[in-house]
Amino acid sequence: MAVTKRSFLREAWSLAWPYWASEEKWSASGLLAAVVVLNLTAVWLTVRLNLWNKDFYDALQNYDWTAFWHQFGIFGLIAVTWIVVAVYQLYLRQILQIRWRRWLTEKYLSGWLDGQAYYRMQLDQTATDNPDQRISDDLDRFSSITITLSLGLMNSVVTLVSFLFILWSLSGTLTVPLWDGMHVAIPGYMVIAAFLYAALGTWLTQKIGSPLVRLLFNQQRYEADFRFSMVRLRENAESVAFYGGERRELDVFQGRFSWIVKNWWQVIRRRKQLTWFTTGYQQVAIVFPFLVAAPRFFAKEIQLGGLMQVVSAFGQVQDSLSFIVTSYTEIAEYQSVVQRLAGFRAKFEEIAASHEGPQPIAISQAGSGVEVEGLALDLPSGYRLHDDVALAAQPGSPVLVTGPSGSGKSTLLRAIAGLWPFGAGRIRVGGSKSLFLPQRPYLPLGTLADALAYPETAEAHSRAELEGALRVVGLPYLVAQLDEEGNWAQRLSGGEQQRLGFARVMLIRPEIVFLDEATSALEETAEASLYRMLRDADWRPTIVSVGHHGTLRRFHETIVDLGRRPLGEAVAAGD
C-alpha cells in the first residue's frame, strides 16, 4: 500500500494524459480552456473585491455618504459578474467531467473485456478485487477529483501570484526593537507570516491525515464486497430459497458489513482528528492577520480601509498556500482512487501482454475438428492436474470426455477454448466459429430473442430462423414470447435453459460445439433427441462433450477417460 509522492503523481499522470492526447483532445481542450478562463476571471474578481474593500471601509471611516452608495453600486456589478462566472464554470466543468468519464469507461471496459481479462482476473484470487466498482465508481471519482484538484491548484497559484505583490506592498516594514537600542526591520513581513503559518499547517495536516489514504482505499473495497454479496443473492435467489439459506446469507451480509463499519470507525476517528486541526487552523487564520497588522494600524501608518485590504490580501495568500490543508480529504481519497485504478489497469495490461508472447498452451487454427497433443493441465496454484492428455475429434466423429468429479473435464474444455492458461501442450482447433454449451447456459437480460441469439444479436437472424430454432428443440410454446423482456435465467427451468442452449447451436451453426454437462437437466429421451439432432445437422459440426453419465456414450465415437491411467487415454465408445 505504501506509495511515494513521486510514484503517485506519475500514476495519476499516466491515468489522466491519454484522454488529453486522444481523438477528443480538441473538444476537451476547448472546454478546459473555457473553464480556465472563467477561473481566472473569478480570481480577477477576487482581486477587484480586495480593492473594493479598501474604498468601502475608507468611505465608512470618512462618513462619506456619496462614496458609500457608489461603492455599493460597484459591489453589485462585481456580484452579478461573479454569479454568471460561477454558474457557467460549474456547467462547463460538469460537461467536461462526464465526457472524460465516458471516454475512460469505454477504454477500461474494453481493457477488461479484451483478451478475456475479466475471466483471467477471476481465476487469479490475488488479482484486482471488484473490477465493476472500479469502472463504475472509481473512474467517476477520478475524473471529478482530478478536475477539482487541478483547477483548485491553478486557482491557488494564480491567486497567490496576484495577491503576493499586493500583500508585499501593503505590508510595509515592521520594525522589531531589540536590546541596547538596536532594532531589526522586516520588509513584507505579512508575506513571511503567511508563508510560515501555511507551512506549519501543511506539515501538521500531512502528519495527521496520511493514514486516511489506506483507510479510504479499504473502505471502497469493503463497500464493493458488500454490494457484490447482495448481487450474488439476487442472481441465485431460487437456489437460496430452496435451501432455506436466508440465515446463512444474513451472516455473510453482516460479516461483510461489519468490515465496513469497523473501517468506517477508523475513518471518522481520523477525520475527526483532522477536522479538529483544520477547523482550528481556519479559525485562527481569521484573526491572525489582524494581530500581525495591528502594530501598523495603531501606529496610524494605515487607515481602517488599508487594514481591511491587508487582512483580505493576507487571507487570499494564506488560503492559496493552504491548498493542501483545505483539500486534504479529497487528496487522500484521490490517492486511494489512483492506486485502485492503476492496479486494475496494470492487471489487464499484464494479461493483454501475456497474449502477445508464446503461450505455454499453444493453440493453432488449421484444418477441421479438434486435436489435443501432450497437454498438461495445472491448477492456478501450480499443482499438476494432468499430464499428457490427448484427444482428436472430427466432423461426424464426436468425442466424449469423461471421468470422476474433480478430474478436470471442464478444465480440459477451457484449455481447448483458450480460457485456461495454466499448463503446457499443443491444441489445434479447426474452423472459425465454435460454441460452448455449459450446464447452465448464460441468458442475458433483454428479450427472449436476445437470449436465444447470444452472443450474436437477434437482429442478425430472421424471425423464421428464431422460431424454427425454438421448435426444433421442443420449445414451440416460447415462440409467442420472443419479444418479451425479462430475467429468463429465472423464468425458465433448468431443462428449458438447456434446450435453449441447443437452439442457439441450430441458430448460429458453429463448426465446433463444446458441451459441458449440457443435458444434465433433461430426461434420456430429450437428451437422445438433441444429440441426434446435432449429429444429423446438415453442416456436420465437430462435437466434444463432457459428462459422466453412461447414457452419453452411445452418441460418441471416442471416449477420453480422465480417470484412467495413463491419464487421458482414448478408447472406443464400445469399450
Side-chain angles (χ1 to χ4, degrees):
M1 286 294 296
V3 61
T4 65
K5 292 179 183 178
R6 182 176 297 178
S7 64
F8 158 66
L9 292 175
R10 187 166 55 247
E11 291 286 9
W13 175 257
S14 69
L15 291 171
W17 173 247
Y19 176 65
W20 302 97
S22 71
E23 67 283 357
E24 297 188 14
K25 60 184 177 183
W26 296 117
S27 61
S29 298
L31 275 172
L32 181 61
V35 173
V36 168
V37 169
L38 290 171
N39 270 266
L40 295 177
T41 304
V43 173
W44 178 84
L45 289 171
T46 305
V47 174
R48 185 63 188 85
L49 194 60
N50 176 263
L51 299 174
W52 176 86
N53 265 324
K54 179 182 182 303
D55 297 336
F56 180 73
Y57 283 101
D58 280 346
L60 287 177
Q61 186 174 21
N62 296 327
Y63 300 99
D64 189 336
W65 184 254
T66 303
F68 172 80
W69 283 108
H70 178 68
Q71 293 304 319
F72 255 104
I74 293 175
F75 177 80
L77 293 174
I78 295 174
V80 169
T81 307
W82 192 292
I83 291 169
V84 173
V85 168
V87 168
Y88 279 95
Q89 181 186 19
L90 177 63
Y91 175 67
L92 294 177
R93 192 172 75 180
Q94 289 178 332
I95 292 176
L96 177 60
Q97 178 186 333
I98 193 61
R99 287 186 175 183
W100 192 1
R101 182 189 176 188
R102 174 184 53 76
W103 188 89
L104 284 170
T105 300
E106 290 176 357
K107 294 299 179 184
Y108 274 71
L109 282 174
S110 296
W112 187 41
L113 294 174
D114 286 350
Q116 297 163 333
Y118 63 95
Y119 179 75
R120 298 289 184 91
M121 288 183 185
Q122 198 158 315
L123 291 177
D124 184 359
Q125 298 301 313
T126 64
T128 304
D129 62 90
N130 301 297
D132 53 314
Q133 186 263 353
R134 303 195 185 205
I135 293 173
S136 64
D137 293 345
D138 287 345
L139 288 178
D140 179 35
R141 296 301 297 148
F142 175 75
S143 58
S144 172
I145 301 178
T146 300
I147 294 173
T148 300
L149 291 180
S150 299
L151 292 177
L153 180 59
M154 184 200 71
N155 273 359
S156 294
V157 172
V158 174
T159 301
L160 176 63
V161 173
S162 301
F163 281 94
L164 201 58
F165 296 104
I166 295 175
L167 183 60
W168 183 274
S169 62
L170 293 174
S171 296
T173 301
L174 178 66
T175 301
V176 180
L178 300 176
W179 55 90
D180 296 332
M182 298 177 64
H183 63 273
V184 62
I186 306 175
Y189 74 100
M190 293 288 288
V191 174
I192 297 172
F195 270 93
L196 292 175
Y197 187 77
L200 178 62
T202 301
W203 180 74
L204 290 173
T205 299
Q206 170 66 20
K207 295 293 287 184
I208 297 169
S210 58
L212 268 178
V213 177
R214 175 183 55 81
L215 292 172
L216 292 174
F217 182 98
N218 289 336
Q219 191 68 25
Q220 290 171 308
R221 178 162 62 91
Y222 296 146
E223 293 281 5
D225 287 343
F226 178 58
R227 184 168 61 244
F228 178 73
S229 64
M230 291 187 288
V231 171
R232 285 279 295 164
L233 174 64
R234 190 176 64 193
E235 291 176 344
N236 298 278
E238 185 177 75
S239 297
V240 174
F242 271 123
Y243 278 112
E246 295 81 9
R247 180 71 251 177
R248 181 70 183 87
E249 294 300 315
L250 181 60
D251 289 342
V252 172
F253 296 157
Q254 290 176 334
R256 293 200 168 188
F257 190 70
S258 68
W259 282 102
I260 293 176
V261 174
K262 181 179 178 181
N263 193 75
W264 186 248
W265 273 112
Q266 297 182 61
V267 170
I268 61 177
R269 278 194 288 266
R270 182 57 58 173
R271 278 182 169 168
K272 183 181 74 170
Q273 295 174 23
L274 188 61
T275 305
W276 271 111
F277 174 73
T278 55
T279 304
Y281 175 88
Q282 291 165 353
Q283 291 301 308
V284 172
I286 296 173
V287 297
F288 185 72
F290 285 99
L291 294 174
V292 178
R296 294 191 65 223
F297 176 74
F298 286 106
K300 298 184 179 179
E301 295 179 12
I302 53 175
Q303 289 188 308
L304 177 62
L307 173 66
M308 297 308 296
Q309 188 181 14
V310 169
V311 169
S312 173
F314 182 94
Q316 294 296 334
V317 171
Q318 181 265 325
D319 280 346
S320 300
L321 293 171
S322 303
F323 173 73
I324 292 178
V325 176
T326 55
S327 306
Y328 195 83
T329 300
E330 276 193 316
I331 292 172
E333 182 181 357
Y334 188 57
Q335 284 184 267
S336 69
V337 166
V338 167
Q339 288 181 28
R340 289 175 62 79
L341 287 177
F344 179 41
R345 185 187 63 176
K347 191 61 184 179
F348 67 64
E349 286 181 349
E350 175 191 329
I351 292 171
S354 70
H355 283 280
E356 300 292 331
Q359 302 297 308
I361 300 179
I363 300 178
S364 61
Q365 287 195 328
S368 61
V370 176
E371 185 177 359
V372 177
E373 293 181 326
L375 179 63
L377 294 175
D378 297 339
L379 295 179
S381 63
Y383 175 78
R384 178 57 51 90
L385 186 63
H386 284 302
D387 267 316
D388 201 27
V389 177
L391 67 81
Q394 293 294 330
S397 181
V399 171
L400 172 65
V401 180
T402 188
S405 297
S407 60
K409 301 185 297 296
S410 298
T411 302
L412 175 57
L413 282 196
R414 295 186 187 109
I416 296 173
L419 300 179
W420 195 259
F422 312 108
R426 296 180 303 280
I427 297 173
R428 181 188 59 77
V429 179
S432 59
K433 186 186 295 186
S434 60
L435 193 64
F436 179 78
L437 294 191
Q439 187 173 10
R440 189 179 178 89
Y442 173 66
L443 304 180
L445 296 175
T447 65
L448 179 59
D450 292 329
L452 171 59
Y454 188 85
E456 298 179 350
T457 62
E459 290 74 19
H461 303 277
S462 68
R463 183 75 178 197
E465 289 174 330
L466 295 171
E467 293 179 1
L470 289 178
R471 289 193 173 95
V472 77
V473 298
L475 297 175
Y477 53 89
L478 292 181
V479 168
Q481 302 178 50
L482 276 170
D483 296 323
E484 290 185 21
E485 293 201 10
N487 187 347
W488 294 99
Q490 292 184 356
R491 290 180 61 173
L492 300 180
S493 68
E496 288 174 322
Q497 291 182 43
Q498 291 188 340
R499 286 177 183 269
L500 193 70
F502 278 85
R504 278 181 187 164
V505 177
M506 304 308 293
L507 189 66
I508 297 174
R509 300 169 68 89
E511 289 150 293
I512 303 174
V513 183
F514 299 103
L515 301 104
D516 187 1
E517 304 279 5
T519 57
S520 59
L522 296 170
E523 64 278 7
E524 287 188 29
T525 54
E527 178 182 71
S529 174
L530 293 174
Y531 263 100
R532 279 196 217 96
M533 177 188 70
L534 276 188
R535 293 202 59 168
D536 296 340
D538 56 5
W539 74 92
R540 291 178 57 79
T542 298
I543 301 171
V544 179
S545 300
V546 161
H548 54 269
H549 290 161
T551 55
L552 294 175
R553 290 177 173 265
R554 54 183 166 150
F555 308 117
H556 299 83
E557 303 295 328
T558 306
I559 311 297
V560 175
D561 190 347
L562 295 182
R564 286 199 176 200
R565 295 292 187 272
L567 291 173
E569 180 181 349
V571 298
D575 290 354

PDB file of all heavy atoms in Angstrom, residues 346-371:
ATOM      1  N   ALA A 346      -3.026  -2.025 -14.577  1.00  0.00           N
ATOM      2  CA  ALA A 346      -1.802  -2.826 -14.684  1.00  0.00           C
ATOM      3  C   ALA A 346      -2.142  -4.296 -14.872  1.00  0.00           C
ATOM      4  O   ALA A 346      -1.463  -5.014 -15.627  1.00  0.00           O
ATOM      5  CB  ALA A 346      -0.932  -2.631 -13.446  1.00  0.00           C
ATOM      6  N   LYS A 347      -3.211  -4.758 -14.212  1.00  0.00           N
ATOM      7  CA  LYS A 347      -3.568  -6.166 -14.303  1.00  0.00           C
ATOM      8  C   LYS A 347      -4.080  -6.525 -15.691  1.00  0.00           C
ATOM      9  O   LYS A 347      -3.646  -7.532 -16.289  1.00  0.00           O
ATOM     10  CB  LYS A 347      -4.626  -6.520 -13.251  1.00  0.00           C
ATOM     11  CG  LYS A 347      -4.859  -8.013 -13.101  1.00  0.00           C
ATOM     12  CD  LYS A 347      -3.597  -8.724 -12.663  1.00  0.00           C
ATOM     13  CE  LYS A 347      -3.770 -10.225 -12.609  1.00  0.00           C
ATOM     14  NZ  LYS A 347      -2.542 -10.916 -12.202  1.00  0.00           N
ATOM     15  N   PHE A 348      -4.999  -5.711 -16.250  1.00  0.00           N
ATOM     16  CA  PHE A 348      -5.496  -6.117 -17.568  1.00  0.00           C
ATOM     17  C   PHE A 348      -4.459  -5.846 -18.661  1.00  0.00           C
ATOM     18  O   PHE A 348      -4.467  -6.508 -19.697  1.00  0.00           O
ATOM     19  CB  PHE A 348      -6.880  -5.546 -17.892  1.00  0.00           C
ATOM     20  CG  PHE A 348      -7.015  -4.064 -18.078  1.00  0.00           C
ATOM     21  CD1 PHE A 348      -6.384  -3.398 -19.105  1.00  0.00           C
ATOM     22  CD2 PHE A 348      -7.857  -3.326 -17.244  1.00  0.00           C
ATOM     23  CE1 PHE A 348      -6.548  -2.041 -19.310  1.00  0.00           C
ATOM     24  CE2 PHE A 348      -8.022  -1.967 -17.429  1.00  0.00           C
ATOM     25  CZ  PHE A 348      -7.370  -1.324 -18.466  1.00  0.00           C
ATOM     26  N   GLU A 349      -3.550  -4.893 -18.445  1.00  0.00           N
ATOM     27  CA  GLU A 349      -2.455  -4.717 -19.404  1.00  0.00           C
ATOM     28  C   GLU A 349      -1.473  -5.882 -19.329  1.00  0.00           C
ATOM     29  O   GLU A 349      -0.922  -6.322 -20.343  1.00  0.00           O
ATOM     30  CB  GLU A 349      -1.736  -3.392 -19.132  1.00  0.00           C
ATOM     31  CG  GLU A 349      -2.533  -2.168 -19.572  1.00  0.00           C
ATOM     32  CD  GLU A 349      -1.799  -0.875 -19.318  1.00  0.00           C
ATOM     33  OE1 GLU A 349      -0.757  -0.912 -18.616  1.00  0.00           O
ATOM     34  OE2 GLU A 349      -2.256   0.173 -19.809  1.00  0.00           O
ATOM     35  N   GLU A 350      -1.261  -6.403 -18.124  1.00  0.00           N
ATOM     36  CA  GLU A 350      -0.402  -7.580 -17.957  1.00  0.00           C
ATOM     37  C   GLU A 350      -1.000  -8.782 -18.680  1.00  0.00           C
ATOM     38  O   GLU A 350      -0.292  -9.543 -19.351  1.00  0.00           O
ATOM     39  CB  GLU A 350      -0.241  -7.882 -16.471  1.00  0.00           C
ATOM     40  CG  GLU A 350       0.524  -9.153 -16.155  1.00  0.00           C
ATOM     41  CD  GLU A 350       0.430  -9.540 -14.691  1.00  0.00           C
ATOM     42  OE1 GLU A 350       0.324  -8.636 -13.837  1.00  0.00           O
ATOM     43  OE2 GLU A 350       0.442 -10.746 -14.391  1.00  0.00           O
ATOM     44  N   ILE A 351      -2.307  -8.944 -18.561  1.00  0.00           N
ATOM     45  CA  ILE A 351      -2.978 -10.064 -19.233  1.00  0.00           C
ATOM     46  C   ILE A 351      -2.893  -9.889 -20.752  1.00  0.00           C
ATOM     47  O   ILE A 351      -2.639 -10.846 -21.492  1.00  0.00           O
ATOM     48  CB  ILE A 351      -4.439 -10.168 -18.762  1.00  0.00           C
ATOM     49  CG1 ILE A 351      -4.483 -10.598 -17.291  1.00  0.00           C
ATOM     50  CG2 ILE A 351      -5.228 -11.139 -19.629  1.00  0.00           C
ATOM     51  CD1 ILE A 351      -5.859 -10.533 -16.669  1.00  0.00           C
ATOM     52  N   ALA A 352      -3.097  -8.639 -21.228  1.00  0.00           N
ATOM     53  CA  ALA A 352      -3.005  -8.379 -22.668  1.00  0.00           C
ATOM     54  C   ALA A 352      -1.594  -8.662 -23.175  1.00  0.00           C
ATOM     55  O   ALA A 352      -1.409  -9.247 -24.248  1.00  0.00           O
ATOM     56  CB  ALA A 352      -3.400  -6.937 -22.962  1.00  0.00           C
ATOM     57  N   ALA A 353      -0.589  -8.269 -22.373  1.00  0.00           N
ATOM     58  CA  ALA A 353       0.805  -8.511 -22.776  1.00  0.00           C
ATOM     59  C   ALA A 353       1.122  -9.997 -22.809  1.00  0.00           C
ATOM     60  O   ALA A 353       1.909 -10.453 -23.648  1.00  0.00           O
ATOM     61  CB  ALA A 353       1.746  -7.785 -21.825  1.00  0.00           C
ATOM     62  N   SER A 354       0.503 -10.747 -21.900  1.00  0.00           N
ATOM     63  CA  SER A 354       0.777 -12.184 -21.863  1.00  0.00           C
ATOM     64  C   SER A 354       0.281 -12.887 -23.123  1.00  0.00           C
ATOM     65  O   SER A 354       0.767 -13.955 -23.478  1.00  0.00           O
ATOM     66  CB  SER A 354       0.126 -12.816 -20.627  1.00  0.00           C
ATOM     67  OG  SER A 354      -1.291 -12.830 -20.743  1.00  0.00           O
ATOM     68  N   HIS A 355      -0.694 -12.272 -23.798  1.00  0.00           N
ATOM     69  CA  HIS A 355      -1.201 -12.862 -25.041  1.00  0.00           C
ATOM     70  C   HIS A 355      -0.265 -12.605 -26.214  1.00  0.00           C
ATOM     71  O   HIS A 355      -0.368 -13.267 -27.249  1.00  0.00           O
ATOM     72  CB  HIS A 355      -2.590 -12.288 -25.370  1.00  0.00           C
ATOM     73  CG  HIS A 355      -3.695 -12.873 -24.552  1.00  0.00           C
ATOM     74  ND1 HIS A 355      -4.260 -14.094 -24.825  1.00  0.00           N
ATOM     75  CD2 HIS A 355      -4.331 -12.411 -23.450  1.00  0.00           C
ATOM     76  CE1 HIS A 355      -5.201 -14.355 -23.935  1.00  0.00           C
ATOM     77  NE2 HIS A 355      -5.266 -13.343 -23.090  1.00  0.00           N
ATOM     78  N   GLU A 356       0.622 -11.608 -26.060  1.00  0.00           N
ATOM     79  CA  GLU A 356       1.488 -11.232 -27.170  1.00  0.00           C
ATOM     80  C   GLU A 356       2.581 -12.282 -27.418  1.00  0.00           C
ATOM     81  O   GLU A 356       2.929 -12.577 -28.552  1.00  0.00           O
ATOM     82  CB  GLU A 356       2.143  -9.873 -26.884  1.00  0.00           C
ATOM     83  CG  GLU A 356       1.153  -8.734 -26.688  1.00  0.00           C
ATOM     84  CD  GLU A 356       0.416  -8.387 -27.962  1.00  0.00           C
ATOM     85  OE1 GLU A 356       1.002  -8.596 -29.046  1.00  0.00           O
ATOM     86  OE2 GLU A 356      -0.739  -7.932 -27.881  1.00  0.00           O
ATOM     87  N   GLY A 357       3.165 -12.805 -26.337  1.00  0.00           N
ATOM     88  CA  GLY A 357       4.277 -13.733 -26.479  1.00  0.00           C
ATOM     89  C   GLY A 357       3.830 -15.179 -26.642  1.00  0.00           C
ATOM     90  O   GLY A 357       2.640 -15.483 -26.739  1.00  0.00           O
ATOM     91  N   PRO A 358       4.773 -16.094 -26.673  1.00  0.00           N
ATOM     92  CA  PRO A 358       4.454 -17.527 -26.782  1.00  0.00           C
ATOM     93  C   PRO A 358       3.619 -17.998 -25.587  1.00  0.00           C
ATOM     94  O   PRO A 358       3.880 -17.605 -24.454  1.00  0.00           O
ATOM     95  CB  PRO A 358       5.834 -18.196 -26.785  1.00  0.00           C
ATOM     96  CG  PRO A 358       6.801 -17.102 -27.124  1.00  0.00           C
ATOM     97  CD  PRO A 358       6.217 -15.844 -26.614  1.00  0.00           C
ATOM     98  N   GLN A 359       2.639 -18.830 -25.874  1.00  0.00           N
ATOM     99  CA  GLN A 359       1.761 -19.334 -24.828  1.00  0.00           C
ATOM    100  C   GLN A 359       2.209 -20.737 -24.398  1.00  0.00           C
ATOM    101  O   GLN A 359       2.606 -21.551 -25.243  1.00  0.00           O
ATOM    102  CB  GLN A 359       0.314 -19.394 -25.328  1.00  0.00           C
ATOM    103  CG  GLN A 359      -0.230 -18.058 -25.791  1.00  0.00           C
ATOM    104  CD  GLN A 359      -0.281 -17.042 -24.682  1.00  0.00           C
ATOM    105  OE1 GLN A 359      -0.833 -17.296 -23.616  1.00  0.00           O
ATOM    106  NE2 GLN A 359       0.324 -15.882 -24.908  1.00  0.00           N
ATOM    107  N   PRO A 360       2.146 -21.023 -23.097  1.00  0.00           N
ATOM    108  CA  PRO A 360       2.518 -22.370 -22.644  1.00  0.00           C
ATOM    109  C   PRO A 360       1.618 -23.441 -23.257  1.00  0.00           C
ATOM    110  O   PRO A 360       2.069 -24.542 -23.554  1.00  0.00           O
ATOM    111  CB  PRO A 360       2.362 -22.292 -21.125  1.00  0.00           C
ATOM    112  CG  PRO A 360       1.509 -21.098 -20.867  1.00  0.00           C
ATOM    113  CD  PRO A 360       1.768 -20.147 -21.975  1.00  0.00           C
ATOM    114  N   ILE A 361       0.335 -23.093 -23.424  1.00  0.00           N
ATOM    115  CA  ILE A 361      -0.563 -23.981 -24.158  1.00  0.00           C
ATOM    116  C   ILE A 361      -0.744 -23.359 -25.538  1.00  0.00           C
ATOM    117  O   ILE A 361      -1.470 -22.382 -25.699  1.00  0.00           O
ATOM    118  CB  ILE A 361      -1.914 -24.146 -23.438  1.00  0.00           C
ATOM    119  CG1 ILE A 361      -1.710 -24.747 -22.045  1.00  0.00           C
ATOM    120  CG2 ILE A 361      -2.858 -25.018 -24.256  1.00  0.00           C
ATOM    121  CD1 ILE A 361      -2.987 -24.925 -21.243  1.00  0.00           C
ATOM    122  N   ALA A 362      -0.052 -23.908 -26.532  1.00  0.00           N
ATOM    123  CA  ALA A 362      -0.060 -23.334 -27.874  1.00  0.00           C
ATOM    124  C   ALA A 362      -1.310 -23.781 -28.620  1.00  0.00           C
ATOM    125  O   ALA A 362      -1.552 -24.979 -28.790  1.00  0.00           O
ATOM    126  CB  ALA A 362       1.192 -23.776 -28.631  1.00  0.00           C
ATOM    127  N   ILE A 363      -2.119 -22.809 -29.056  1.00  0.00           N
ATOM    128  CA  ILE A 363      -3.359 -23.110 -29.776  1.00  0.00           C
ATOM    129  C   ILE A 363      -3.231 -22.570 -31.198  1.00  0.00           C
ATOM    130  O   ILE A 363      -2.944 -21.393 -31.407  1.00  0.00           O
ATOM    131  CB  ILE A 363      -4.570 -22.476 -29.072  1.00  0.00           C
ATOM    132  CG1 ILE A 363      -4.695 -23.010 -27.641  1.00  0.00           C
ATOM    133  CG2 ILE A 363      -5.848 -22.758 -29.848  1.00  0.00           C
ATOM    134  CD1 ILE A 363      -5.836 -22.410 -26.855  1.00  0.00           C
ATOM    135  N   SER A 364      -3.418 -23.443 -32.159  1.00  0.00           N
ATOM    136  CA  SER A 364      -3.365 -23.038 -33.565  1.00  0.00           C
ATOM    137  C   SER A 364      -4.710 -23.306 -34.213  1.00  0.00           C
ATOM    138  O   SER A 364      -5.468 -24.174 -33.772  1.00  0.00           O
ATOM    139  CB  SER A 364      -2.263 -23.800 -34.300  1.00  0.00           C
ATOM    140  OG  SER A 364      -2.509 -25.199 -34.257  1.00  0.00           O
ATOM    141  N   GLN A 365      -5.008 -22.550 -35.268  1.00  0.00           N
ATOM    142  CA  GLN A 365      -6.244 -22.745 -36.016  1.00  0.00           C
ATOM    143  C   GLN A 365      -5.892 -23.222 -37.419  1.00  0.00           C
ATOM    144  O   GLN A 365      -5.265 -22.495 -38.191  1.00  0.00           O
ATOM    145  CB  GLN A 365      -7.051 -21.448 -36.082  1.00  0.00           C
ATOM    146  CG  GLN A 365      -7.706 -21.082 -34.749  1.00  0.00           C
ATOM    147  CD  GLN A 365      -8.770 -20.019 -34.918  1.00  0.00           C
ATOM    148  OE1 GLN A 365      -8.676 -19.169 -35.776  1.00  0.00           O
ATOM    149  NE2 GLN A 365      -9.788 -20.063 -34.061  1.00  0.00           N
ATOM    150  N   ALA A 366      -6.296 -24.439 -37.702  1.00  0.00           N
ATOM    151  CA  ALA A 366      -5.999 -25.016 -39.015  1.00  0.00           C
ATOM    152  C   ALA A 366      -6.865 -26.251 -39.208  1.00  0.00           C
ATOM    153  O   ALA A 366      -7.277 -26.905 -38.244  1.00  0.00           O
ATOM    154  CB  ALA A 366      -4.520 -25.395 -39.122  1.00  0.00           C
ATOM    155  N   GLY A 367      -7.137 -26.566 -40.447  1.00  0.00           N
ATOM    156  CA  GLY A 367      -7.873 -27.781 -40.754  1.00  0.00           C
ATOM    157  C   GLY A 367      -9.283 -27.761 -40.216  1.00  0.00           C
ATOM    158  O   GLY A 367      -9.956 -26.731 -40.177  1.00  0.00           O
ATOM    159  N   SER A 368      -9.726 -28.938 -39.792  1.00  0.00           N
ATOM    160  CA  SER A 368     -11.073 -29.079 -39.239  1.00  0.00           C
ATOM    161  C   SER A 368     -11.000 -29.896 -37.962  1.00  0.00           C
ATOM    162  O   SER A 368     -10.016 -30.593 -37.692  1.00  0.00           O
ATOM    163  CB  SER A 368     -12.004 -29.761 -40.236  1.00  0.00           C
ATOM    164  OG  SER A 368     -11.536 -31.065 -40.532  1.00  0.00           O
ATOM    165  N   GLY A 369     -12.044 -29.817 -37.144  1.00  0.00           N
ATOM    166  CA  GLY A 369     -12.096 -30.589 -35.917  1.00  0.00           C
ATOM    167  C   GLY A 369     -11.194 -30.040 -34.832  1.00  0.00           C
ATOM    168  O   GLY A 369     -10.734 -28.896 -34.879  1.00  0.00           O
ATOM    169  N   VAL A 370     -10.916 -30.886 -33.837  1.00  0.00           N
ATOM    170  CA  VAL A 370     -10.096 -30.513 -32.678  1.00  0.00           C
ATOM    171  C   VAL A 370      -9.077 -31.610 -32.438  1.00  0.00           C
ATOM    172  O   VAL A 370      -9.401 -32.805 -32.487  1.00  0.00           O
ATOM    173  CB  VAL A 370     -10.966 -30.338 -31.416  1.00  0.00           C
ATOM    174  CG1 VAL A 370     -10.105 -30.040 -30.199  1.00  0.00           C
ATOM    175  CG2 VAL A 370     -11.989 -29.235 -31.613  1.00  0.00           C
ATOM    176  N   GLU A 371      -7.836 -31.202 -32.154  1.00  0.00           N
ATOM    177  CA  GLU A 371      -6.792 -32.176 -31.840  1.00  0.00           C
ATOM    178  C   GLU A 371      -5.972 -31.665 -30.663  1.00  0.00           C
ATOM    179  O   GLU A 371      -5.507 -30.520 -30.659  1.00  0.00           O
ATOM    180  CB  GLU A 371      -5.895 -32.397 -33.050  1.00  0.00           C
ATOM    181  CG  GLU A 371      -4.861 -33.491 -32.823  1.00  0.00           C
ATOM    182  CD  GLU A 371      -4.028 -33.749 -34.054  1.00  0.00           C
ATOM    183  OE1 GLU A 371      -4.273 -33.091 -35.098  1.00  0.00           O
ATOM    184  OE2 GLU A 371      -3.125 -34.597 -33.987  1.00  0.00           O
TER     185      GLU A 371
END
